[in-house]
Amino acid sequence: MFLDTEEEPVDDPEKHGGRVRTFPHERGNWATHVYVPYETREEFLDLLDVLLPHAQTYVPRLVQMEAFHLSLSQSVVLRHHWILPFVQALKDRMASFQRFFFTANRVKIYTNQEKTRTFIGLEVTSGHTQFLDLVSEVDRVMEEFDLTTFYQAPSFHISLAWCVDDARLQLEGQCLQELQNIVDEFEDSEMVLRAHAEQVRCKSGNKFFSMPLM
């Protein structure tokens, strides 16, 4: 884990598809997010190559996510000088956690709290308890730093694609059922969508910190 010289992130809407910031950037404030990274395999990307074009027949502006993960925190704001103590507190909390397998194979539609973005996700159907345990530890760190804890009764998921605005009306119902059928009928989908949680990662500004599980 390391932190190199401070660089102020610059907000350029052209770089993120016109997304609206949940909170404005202020000098010295760093958007911070804790999550489990999802390492893609060829079969997963093959499934996505079938799912996304089908969803785009309902909402053409959908775009594939650049990277895949399962969130353990909301996006919070850290002052720059709190980043290393925050990460160390996380590392201490994660030190005794075992790696575990999980499955994410239930298609679900999500929006952010402001309803300015919509996501197609795969919800966790096994491993939920282990994710809750991880969130419990992350929440303790959040409380230590007077930051917002995670959602009550969270739906752990891998976001596959996103678009601007609230597109639930177009994606839920018939489209959602068709996407679920694609997942269910995909060859060896149960194995394709079974993964191993091996680390927790923290992204703060443009810095990444990795905390391996045992």
Side-chain angles (χ1 to χ4, degrees), residues 128-147:
H128 185 83
T129 300
Q130 290 94 327
F131 277 106
L132 282 176
D133 290 342
L134 283 175
V135 165
S136 177
E137 297 301 324
V138 173
D139 276 351
R140 291 187 181 189
V141 177
M142 293 293 181
E143 289 169 349
E144 289 175 23
F145 286 81
D146 291 324
L147 298 170

Side-chain angles (χ1 to χ4, degrees), residues 5 11 30 46 49 55 63 93-94 114 116 132 145 148 166 175 180 211:
T5 55
D11 187 27
W30 290 69
D46 289 343
D49 284 343
V63 178
R93 290 281 179 189
M94 299 299 148
E114 298 78 20
T116 57
L132 282 176
F145 286 81
T148 305
D166 187 349
C175 177
Q180 187 64 59
M211 289 145 274

Side-chain angles (χ1 to χ4, degrees), residues 98-180:
Q98 301 287 328
R99 300 178 180 191
F100 61 93
F101 284 98
F102 66 93
T103 302
N105 60 1
R106 182 184 295 129
V107 184
K108 196 166 180 178
I109 309 302
Y110 298 88
T111 63
N112 63 344
Q113 286 181 304
E114 298 78 20
K115 306 293 190 292
T116 57
R117 298 196 294 276
T118 303
F119 302 86
I120 298 175
L122 287 173
E123 186 179 30
V124 167
T125 54
S126 71
H128 185 83
T129 300
Q130 290 94 327
F131 277 106
L132 282 176
D133 290 342
L134 283 175
V135 165
S136 177
E137 297 301 324
V138 173
D139 276 351
R140 291 187 181 189
V141 177
M142 293 293 181
E143 289 169 349
E144 289 175 23
F145 286 81
D146 291 324
L147 298 170
T148 305
T149 55
F150 204 42
Y151 308 107
Q152 295 296 313
S155 170
F156 299 107
H157 64 279
I158 305 162
S159 290
L160 306 176
W162 71 277
C163 67
V164 172
D165 297 329
D166 187 349
R168 286 175 299 172
L169 190 62
Q170 299 98 307
L171 292 173
E172 290 179 342
Q174 182 177 344
C175 177
L176 180 61
Q177 185 57 56
E178 291 169 358
L179 295 176
Q180 187 64 59

